[in-house]
């Protein structure tokens, strides 16, 4: 509660486990009114506690309008590390409105002993390198970029996504509809059952989808890792929900 007794209105730009954990952590605290915003990409999203709204705002200006008209006092960018546009929109809207912004972003993964990772900057580069590394690929980069691999006729793909992909897609593929967290035993079994010989992933970070990397290391498989896109300069960042709570408490 602020000095005037009004609850702070925290807008969480979500679509991630971290965003949901933050909404859960603030739920029930009368000092905060929380709204989580989702892009609307997933057909049946797991909704967090508190208020939710779904769909784009219309660029940084649209987000700034929403912030002003809904009395938002704090903005938390808890979008996925690969949701590049939205992070820049958040920075733009914060500049337009003067509302404080903090990014909640999980740290990236780092290879350890025994890992055979090749880093690339973009999905297109992953598609270029893939045929040289294997012929049965486990593709975990999400259904949205699948068209980037559609020309690879010599590669068989196992694609895992929350919702079914739309064409164009590679001609030889199986789709596995599933949502993390995933277990190490499950990932080991999946790699063996489908005779996977290469893994493709984004550097999403976090524990929910990390077991595939351990399973790939154990099986001696090469891994193509897409590096994270740039983030807007000057936006403070943390990897911890607790640190966001501290920031909210300190900036009231
Ligand atoms: P993006 O390229 O950064 O955003 C594209 C547009 O989608 C934005 O300009 C915005 O539209 C709208 N948008 C994105 N996130 C939004 C949110 N939380 N609330 C309202 N509108 C949002 O994002 P993306 O990569 O398509 O990802 C979309 C969502 O999926 C994000 O919320 C992200 O956290 C989640 N997600 C993404 C990935 C990934 O690999 N990219 C993985 C897991 C989850 P307007 O400009 O009209 O406001």
């Amino acid at each position: 509660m602020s000095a005037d007794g009004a609850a702070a209105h925290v807008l969480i730009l979500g679509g991630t486990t971290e965003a949901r954990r933050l909404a859960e952590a603030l739920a029930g605290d009368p000092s905060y009114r929380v709204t989580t915003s989702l892009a609307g990409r997933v057909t049946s999203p797991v909704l967090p506690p508190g208020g939710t709204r779904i769909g784009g705002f219309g660029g940084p200006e649209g987000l700034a309008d929403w912030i002003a008209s809904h009395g938002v006092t704090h903005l938390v960018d808890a979008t996925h590390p690969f949701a590049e546009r939205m992070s820049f929109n958040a920075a733009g809207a914060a500049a337009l409105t003067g509302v404080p912004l903090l990014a909640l972003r999980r740290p990236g993964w780092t290879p350890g002993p025994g890992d055979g990772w090749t880093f690339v900057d973009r999905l297109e580069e992953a598609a270029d390198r893939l045929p040289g590394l294997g012929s049965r690929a486990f593709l975990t980069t999400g259904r949205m970029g699948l068209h980037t691999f559609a020309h690879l006729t010599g590669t068989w793909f196992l694609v895992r996504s929350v919702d079914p992909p739309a064409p164009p897609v590679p001609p030889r593929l199986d789709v596995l509809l599933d949502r993390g967290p995933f277990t190490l035993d499950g990932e080991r079994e999946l790699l063996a059952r489908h005779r996977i010989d290469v893994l493709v992933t984004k550097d999403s970070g976090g524990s929910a989808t990390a077991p595939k990397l351990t399973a790939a290391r154990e099986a001696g498989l090469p891994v193509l890792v897409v590096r994270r896109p740039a983030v807007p300069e000057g936006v403070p960042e943390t990897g911890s929900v607790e640190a966001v709570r501290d920031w909210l408490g300190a900036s009231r």
Side-chain angles (χ1 to χ4, degrees):
M1 215 74 65
S2 61
D4 63 4
H9 186 186
V10 183
L11 175 61
I12 304 172
L13 303 174
T16 57
T17 310
E18 290 70 25
R20 203 165 55 246
R21 286 202 188 123
L22 176 61
E24 286 164 2
L26 299 178
D29 184 335
S31 307
Y32 301 109
R33 183 157 77 85
V34 176
T35 304
T36 299
S37 173
L38 301 171
R41 300 277 188 281
V42 175
T43 318
S44 37
V46 182
L47 293 178
T52 48
R53 63 158 306 284
I54 297 183
F57 294 93
E61 295 79 11
L63 177 55
D65 286 348
W66 201 96
I67 286 170
S69 59
H70 291 79
V72 171
T73 56
H74 299 79
L75 181 58
V76 179
D77 172 17
T79 55
H80 191 272
F82 281 80
E84 185 177 7
R85 183 134 42 104
M86 200 55 189
S87 290
F88 280 89
N89 287 0
L96 286 168
T97 58
V99 164
L101 166 66
L102 179 66
L104 171 58
R105 199 171 286 127
R106 57 182 104 139
W109 291 316
T110 44
D115 280 322
W117 295 10
T118 301
F119 281 94
V120 293
D121 285 325
R122 307 187 52 78
L123 279 182
E124 289 77 4
E125 197 184 339
D128 287 347
R129 303 289 292 269
L130 187 56
L133 290 172
S135 58
R136 296 183 64 83
F138 183 23
L139 193 69
T140 62
T141 47
R143 71 191 163 99
M144 302 305 272
L146 202 48
H147 59 90
T148 314
F149 299 85
H151 62 289
L152 295 181
T153 52
T155 309
W156 179 86
F157 288 91
L158 176 65
V159 171
R160 182 165 63 194
S161 57
V162 176
D163 286 317
V169 297
R172 300 169 61 220
L173 93 166
D174 271 10
V175 176
L176 178 62
L177 297 182
D178 207 350
R179 183 189 327 242
F182 302 106
T183 66
L184 180 54
D185 279 349
E187 301 294 55
R188 283 181 182 133
E189 196 273 328
L190 208 59
L191 297 186
R193 176 155 45 97
H194 294 281
R195 293 178 288 116
I196 298 297
D197 59 11
V198 57
L199 169 67
V200 187
T201 180
K202 292 175 175 171
D203 179 14
S204 298
S207 58
T209 60
K212 64 188 172 190
L213 298 167
T214 308
R217 179 172 61 235
E218 288 177 358
L221 301 187
V223 182
L224 268 171
V225 182
V226 184
R227 282 194 189 91
R228 294 180 169 197
V231 292
E233 278 178 29
V235 176
E237 176 177 333
T238 178
S240 123
V241 165
E242 260 322 299
V244 179
R245 285 196 79 156
D246 292 346
W247 174 78
L248 288 169
S251 57
R252 302 219 46 220

